[in-house]
Amino acid sequence: MGLGGIPGLLRVERLPSGGLGLGALVTLSALAREPQIRSLYPMLSEAAAAAASPQIRAMGTLGGNLLLNTRCCYYNQSGAWRSSLPVCLKAGGDTCNAIGGGRKCFAIFSGDLAPSLLTLGAQVQVTSPRGERALAVAELYTGDGVRPLALEPDELLTGVELPAPSEGAYSRYFKYRTRGSLEFPFASVAALIDVDRSTCLCREARIAIGAISSKPFLLDGLSDLLRGKSLVEPLIEEAADLAWRQSKPVENIAGVSARQRRRMVRVFVRRALSEASGRARTQEEA
Ligand SMILES: Cc1cc2nc3c(=O)[nH]c(=O)nc-3n(C[C@H](O)[C@H](O)[C@H](O)COP(=O)(O)OP(=O)(O)OC[C@H]3O[C@@H](n4cnc5c(N)ncnc54)[C@H](O)[C@@H]3O)c2cc1C
């Protein structure tokens, strides 16, 4: 039986907190074009518009996208192809073919929506025969490529709650891919940067990195580095270095090296901070 008949799963509603409540069955194309999301959370509509193809976005849902399985160029292959290599951890074996050994599976979580929801500090609602619970998007992902989701098999994701938007903050999603059309991200960056328009000093900066590891993650220490400071060149470079140090992809996407994916994280973080800074200065002058 489908989930379509369950009331509330298609909701897009303003919450008393000022945030937005989204049902799990809202499609990616609806997220991309919904006016409230475009104006309040631009990075989320950009991420939805960048996912997959128009046909898939018309069918693919918010819930399904958040709960995608992890991918790896050594795993997403036919049985015949895989039989030429040792059985990998994700296929029930005891090695990782991407790094040639080890006990950890590095399959990548490649959903386009999760980094933005992580940056925005969203929560997901989950229901099961035991009742309902809410968990932060950060807690939804385990970081284990074999079992990437912290949900039980009988749990249904019913919706997502976004906190009240940061008025006027810079909000953008960057997706690294080699084709402009249908392609999972090779690396992605979701940036929310709040710069005071009168002083041009950074109030807060939250950036999540996606598609380079088994879970999307927030850059650690970024706000501490930038808060209260002017986003000028040496500091932007320092922040881009911080992102580069915390990003450690392995060679598990065909056609693009881990080195290049890591480099693109640095490029996007630098670009986000430069754009946020430039925009605040333009507004201050106007
Ligand atoms: C060729 C191709 C290219 C793609 N490219 C991209 C891309 O570039 N970026 C991107 O982000 N995504 C991409 N996707 C994924 C796509 O955008 C959809 O997000 C994805 O297919 C999920 O679709 P769905 O909503 O039908 O979920 P399903 O495929 O039906 O579900 C995905 C998983 O989540 C479970 N599930 C779904 N909804 C719920 C729920 N409410 N509660 C509990 N469990 C649930 C399902 O049981 C399943 O295990 C691509 C998919 C394809 C086929």
Side-chain angles (χ1 to χ4, degrees), residues 4 6-12 22-27:
I6 302 177
L9 292 192
L10 282 168
R11 73 186 183 284
V12 176
L22 302 170
L25 289 191
V26 175
T27 62

Side-chain angles (χ1 to χ4, degrees), residues 135-280:
L135 66 165
V137 168
E139 295 164 11
L140 182 59
Y141 302 103
T142 62
D144 173 1
V146 177
R147 193 175 180 276
L149 301 168
L151 290 188
E152 298 301 326
D154 63 352
E155 284 188 310
L156 185 70
L157 195 153
T158 53
V160 171
E161 278 194 11
L162 297 164
S166 315
E167 295 288 337
Y170 170 91
S171 161
R172 263 204 78 183
Y173 180 70
F174 299 88
K175 173 170 177 170
Y176 174 41
R177 54 181 164 180
T178 52
R179 289 184 296 199
S181 60
L182 181 67
E183 192 140 69
F184 278 99
F186 298 152
S188 61
V189 166
L192 186 70
I193 302 159
D194 190 6
V195 181
D196 188 307
R197 284 183 209 176
S198 52
T199 62
C200 288
L201 300 180
C202 179
R203 281 197 284 237
E204 204 191 350
R206 286 167 62 88
I207 294 185
I209 313 295
I212 59 164
S213 52
S214 298
K215 65 172 181 179
F217 62 93
L218 276 173
L219 290 180
D220 192 22
L222 186 71
S223 253
D224 291 345
L225 174 69
L226 303 178
R227 196 177 296 118
K229 297 183 191 150
S230 177
L231 297 180
V232 290
E233 200 34 60
L235 185 61
I236 291 177
E237 207 51 47
E238 212 180 313
D241 276 351
L242 176 143
W244 184 84
R245 280 196 306 276
Q246 292 179 27
S247 301
K248 294 173 183 158
V250 304
E251 303 287 356
N252 58 356
I253 289 186
V256 59
S257 69
R259 191 157 171 248
Q260 176 64 4
R261 291 158 67 205
R262 195 179 189 200
R263 196 183 287 148
M264 287 309 291
V265 169
R266 181 189 233 146
V267 167
F268 287 148
V269 169
R270 197 193 289 132
R271 191 175 300 167
L273 292 167
S274 300
E275 285 182 1
S277 167
R279 206 185 64 166

Side-chain angles (χ1 to χ4, degrees), residues 83-98:
S83 67
S84 63
L85 290 167
V87 182
C88 79
L89 291 158
K90 196 160 174 67
D94 58 6
T95 191
C96 168
N97 291 318

Side-chain angles (χ1 to χ4, degrees), residues 3 9 24-26 28 47 50-53 56-57 59-69 71 109-114 149 151-153 155-159 173 175 177 181-185:
L3 304 176
L9 292 192
L25 289 191
V26 175
L28 300 181
S53 64
I56 295 171
R57 290 196 294 274
M59 296 295 293
T61 63
L62 169 62
N65 192 266
L66 290 179
L67 302 181
L68 284 175
N69 202 348
R71 307 170 67 249
F109 181 82
S110 309
D112 272 306
L113 298 183
L149 301 168
L151 290 188
E152 298 301 326
E155 284 188 310
L156 185 70
L157 195 153
T158 53
Y173 180 70
K175 173 170 177 170
R177 54 181 164 180
S181 60
L182 181 67
E183 192 140 69
F184 278 99

